[in-house]
């Protein structure tokens, strides 16, 4: 099928008013300190859906305009050592590399066709990733290019967004270059990017504070008074690799570890003891976060419109099957999340697709694809007192948080 290039123009900043006057240092503080009346929300890859490509400037902008405080975002390393903001190891699903190179475009529903790896391509220069357009969740090619991490930080600076980022490194080798690339960048308020870009690193990479603190870039931060915000990610997948509880306890003694991501799959499953430890007051990490997994083609994708060719794949009539959701896989057809859970759950179900369950576990911050909806719901439950994160002397902007959004959405999808 012929890709359609949708014109896309950033609206002037004055046209919208729902952005909150957050202080990024207070947002970091909200990661450290639990509050009964606040669940911190991180928009997963920005606020995507409805024609906004994931990990795009637009998705960041929308998250900020919806009054959100945090964006979780993905970073890869390219062959020339740059930092493209891409989630998958391949470029097929989220860019137009197929069309640009004259190859059959990758189809995430079948896992077939052209899906070259980010690490095999340069970011800059001829054929570079920077020349690729982003695709939205329905497969339409947008008039927006793949950004790099420093370009994203500049965009945050220039548009005056008050958000923190959770950097999800898809490649361990991207971590150090990210630090150097961010070292002299700030947000508009002048706060160094390395203090509000949270280094959310797989715990298996640096299992102890000694290993982490020996890194040259961490030493550089210490020597220059840069207050790093570190979050180790603990996952049942590492169960056999090392003692995760011991690791958590050690990191808890450091002042740069602001929280822990604890990817529990079911109550009583592996790493339950880590989550308990953050709640029982025995260690100084007192908060934990996780990922809400609603699936990759869930609502608002429930209509059957997709620009990807579904010739060899039938979209399921019910997107939630056996209480589980479908997720994309690199070079394979989508599968139900539960089919991936293995022995990480006590009963074969991955409970992370149930937001109520996540709240019952008393998670303090949540990465979610539907942050806008969760903001509304949590507010009605008294769990979105964002005052904790508002800059001194400023007030919470009330009301029409999503109005601009809806107008924009209606216009974007016109004539589809
Ligand atoms: C997408 O559209 C749906 C339905 O029109 C709306 O409820 C939802 O809030 C929108 N989400 C985003 C992120 O724009
Ligand atoms: C990346 O750039 C370098 C330097 O310009 C060049 O030698 C190399 O061939 C490029 N690699 C790819 C995959 O284009
Ligand atoms: C941690 O403590 C060191 C030494 O007291 C200090 O220099 C640094 O700024 C602190 N870092 C954070 C993130 O508070
Ligand atoms: C509290 O944590 C320490 C290590 O930080 C550990 O040795 C001790 O067993 C823990 N106590 C309880 C009751 O979990
Ligand atoms: C779904 O597709 C059918 C035909 O393929 C079409 O008639 C119907 O209007 C579509 N529904 C939506 C909600 O787009
Ligand atoms: C569907 O399968 C047929 C036969 O294997 C193949 O020729 C065709 O390219 C496939 N279409 C897609 C969209 O994958
Ligand atoms: C849902 O569960 C039933 C019973 O275990 C099983 O037969 C069926 O294949 C499952 N559906 C999917 C899509 O996995
Ligand atoms: C869980 O499964 C993995 C591989 O499937 C295996 O390596 C590991 O030992 C299992 N863990 C437990 C606690 O059974
Ligand atoms: C919200 O939090 C602030 C502290 O930042 C507190 O002073 C205020 O009372 C809280 N609001 C409500 C409605 O509880």
């Amino acid at each position: 099928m012929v890709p359609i290039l949708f014109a896309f123009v950033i609206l002037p900043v004055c046209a919208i008013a729902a952005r909150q006057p957050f202080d990024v240092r207070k947002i970091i503080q909200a990661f450290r300190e639990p509050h009964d009346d606040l669940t911190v929300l991180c928009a997963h890859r920005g606020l995507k859906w409805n024609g906004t490509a994931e990990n795009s400037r637009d998705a960041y902008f929308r998250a900020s305009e919806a009054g959100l405080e945090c964006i979780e975002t993905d970073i890869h390393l390219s062959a020339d050592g740059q930092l493209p903001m891409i989630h998958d190891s391949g470029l097929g699903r989220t860019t137009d590399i197929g069309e640009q190179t004259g190859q059959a475009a990758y189809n995430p529903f079948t896992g077939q066709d052209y899906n070259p790896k980010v690490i095999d391509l340069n970011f800059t220069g001829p054929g570079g990733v920077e020349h690729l357009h982003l695709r939205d969740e329905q497969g339409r090619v947008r008039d927006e290019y793949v950004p790099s991490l420093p370009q994203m930080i500049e965009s945050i600076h220039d548009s005056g967004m008050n958000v923190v980022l959770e950097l999800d490194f898809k490649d361990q080798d991207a971590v150090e270059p990210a630090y150097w690339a961010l070292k002299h960048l700030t947000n508009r308020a002048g706060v160094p990017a390395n203090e509000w870009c949270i280094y959310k690193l797989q715990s298996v990479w640096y299992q102890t504070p000694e290993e982490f603190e020996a890194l040259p870039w961490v030493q550089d931060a210490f020597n220059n008074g840069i207050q790093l915000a570190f979050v180790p990610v603990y996952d049942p997948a590492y169960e056999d690799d090392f003692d995760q509880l011991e690791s958590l306890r050690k990191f808890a003694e450091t002042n740069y570890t602001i929280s822990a991501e604890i990817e529990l799959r079911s109550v009583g499953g592996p790493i339950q003891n880590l989550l308990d430890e953050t709640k029982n007051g025995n260690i100084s990490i007192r908060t934990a976060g996780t990922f809400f997994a609603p699936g990759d083609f869930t609502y608002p994708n429930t209509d059957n419109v997709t620009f990807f060719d579904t010739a060899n794949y039938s979209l399921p009539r019910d997107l939630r099957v056996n209480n589980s959701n479908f997720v994309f896989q690199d070079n394979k057809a989508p599968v139900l999340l539960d089919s991936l859970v293995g022995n990480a759950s006590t009963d074969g179900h991955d409970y992370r697709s149930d937001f109520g369950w996540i709240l019952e576990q008393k998670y303090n911050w949540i990465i979610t694809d539907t942050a806008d909806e969760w903001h509304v719901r949590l507010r009605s439950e008294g769990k979105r007192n964002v005052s904790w994160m508002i800059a001194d002397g400023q007030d919470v902007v009330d009301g029409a948080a999503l109005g601009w959004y809806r107008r924009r959405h209606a216009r974007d999808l016109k004539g589809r």
Side-chain angles (χ1 to χ4, degrees):
M1 62 171 266
V2 183
I4 304 163
L5 202 63
F6 277 69
F8 170 74
V9 185
I10 297 264
L11 292 177
V13 174
C14 62
I16 28 93
R19 181 182 294 177
Q20 295 292 355
F22 290 129
D23 174 340
V24 291
R25 294 190 197 277
K26 291 193 176 187
I27 301 173
I28 296 293
Q29 193 56 29
F31 273 87
R32 290 182 179 269
E33 239 180 87
H35 298 293
D36 287 341
D37 62 353
L38 175 64
T39 301
V40 172
L41 291 175
C42 293
H44 186 223
R45 309 176 195 171
L47 202 50
K48 53 177 186 166
W49 307 121
N50 296 342
T52 306
E54 64 186 49
N55 292 312
S56 66
R57 290 177 181 82
D58 188 30
Y60 277 36
F61 195 66
R62 286 184 167 202
S64 173
E65 296 313 315
L68 297 167
E69 62 273 26
C70 170
I71 296 168
E72 194 263 6
T73 193
D74 305 296
I75 301 148
H76 264 98
L77 192 69
S78 58
D80 55 352
Q82 304 293 307
L83 302 163
M85 308 300 288
I86 290 279
H87 174 270
D88 301 357
S89 59
L91 288 156
R93 179 177 63 87
T94 55
T95 78
D96 65 344
I97 189 158
E99 289 86 345
Q100 286 210 22
T101 58
Q103 315 259 2
Y106 178 73
N107 184 343
F109 290 113
T110 59
Q112 301 296 307
D113 293 321
Y114 194 52
N115 193 25
K117 289 199 183 316
V118 186
I119 188 67
D120 293 332
L121 291 171
N122 287 338
F123 184 70
T124 52
V129 172
E130 66 175 348
H131 304 297
L132 301 175
H133 296 100
L134 292 170
R135 270 184 203 288
D136 66 25
E137 84 281 8
Q138 290 171 316
R140 288 173 301 193
V141 177
R142 314 295 303 187
D143 191 6
E144 186 174 358
Y145 295 100
V146 177
S148 69
L149 178 62
Q151 287 172 346
M152 282 300 224
I153 303 302
E154 280 159 20
S155 160
I156 288 173
H157 174 277
D158 294 351
S159 57
M161 297 179 212
N162 300 302
V163 292
V164 305
L165 299 187
E166 274 197 346
L167 304 181
D168 187 353
F169 292 93
K170 295 303 176 192
D171 188 337
Q172 188 181 358
D173 292 338
V175 179
E176 177 162 3
Y179 173 81
W180 300 118
L182 299 190
K183 189 169 172 189
H184 299 291
L185 301 178
T186 71
N187 65 5
R188 196 188 281 173
V191 184
N194 274 323
E195 300 193 356
W196 50 267
C197 288
I198 298 170
Y199 284 84
K200 185 167 93 67
L201 305 182
Q202 300 302 313
S203 58
V204 73
W205 292 346
Y206 311 109
Q207 298 169 11
T208 64
E210 289 74 21
E211 275 180 73
F212 182 70
E213 290 169 19
L215 299 168
W217 65 271
V218 176
Q219 281 297 315
D220 185 83
F222 288 170
N223 294 336
N224 288 285
I226 294 169
Q227 307 210 337
L228 292 177
F230 172 67
V231 169
V233 181
Y234 295 100
D235 194 287
Y238 309 137
E239 179 79 341
D240 293 340
D241 296 328
F242 68 110
D243 185 341
Q244 300 197 71
L245 181 59
E246 189 56 19
S247 168
L248 177 75
R249 284 175 173 167
K250 288 275 161 48
F251 276 113
E253 291 164 18
T254 72
N255 66 352
Y256 53 79
T257 307
I258 62 169
S259 186
E261 182 171 329
I262 299 177
E263 291 290 344
L264 186 68
R265 304 298 202 276
S266 72
V267 172
I271 71 175
Q272 174 75 57
N273 53 356
L274 276 74
L275 188 56
D276 295 345
E277 192 89 341
T278 65
K279 307 294 163 204
N280 69 14
N282 185 41
I283 58 170
S284 34
I285 293 175
R286 291 157 63 213
T287 61
T290 191
F291 170 54
F292 168 60
D296 286 329
F297 47 112
T298 182
Y299 177 86
N301 252 10
T302 44
D303 60 24
N304 53 12
V305 177
T306 175
F307 285 71
F308 291 113
D309 192 339
T310 53
N312 295 336
Y313 184 85
S314 306
L315 287 172
R317 284 169 57 143
D318 190 350
L319 295 183
R320 194 168 171 94
V321 178
N322 292 347
N323 199 24
S324 188
N325 297 315
F326 293 90
V327 289
F328 289 133
Q329 297 200 283
D330 271 7
N331 304 311
K332 286 185 213 151
V335 294
L336 286 177
L337 199 60
D338 279 2
S339 73
L340 304 172
V341 78
N343 56 16
S345 165
T346 52
D347 63 2
H349 180 50
D350 185 337
Y351 286 82
R352 295 174 307 163
S353 61
D354 179 343
F355 204 91
W357 179 85
I358 290 177
L359 293 184
E360 282 163 25
Q361 309 319 307
K362 300 203 183 339
Y363 278 107
N364 309 90
W365 53 269
I366 298 165
I367 300 163
T368 165
D369 285 303
T370 47
D372 53 342
E373 290 174 7
W374 285 112
H375 169 74
V376 173
R377 175 165 160 193
L378 289 170
R379 193 166 54 177
S380 74
E381 295 178 10
K383 289 197 168 67
R384 282 294 284 167
N385 182 358
V386 298
S387 312
W388 294 103
M389 303 178 287
I390 298 292
D392 290 341
Q394 302 282 319
D395 292 318
V396 174
V397 175
D398 212 12
L402 302 170
W404 173 79
Y405 234 92
R406 293 222 170 90
R407 285 200 301 280
R408 178 63 178 284
H409 163 235
R411 197 196 64 187
D412 270 0
L413 294 189
K414 219 160 72 182
R416 70 181 177 183

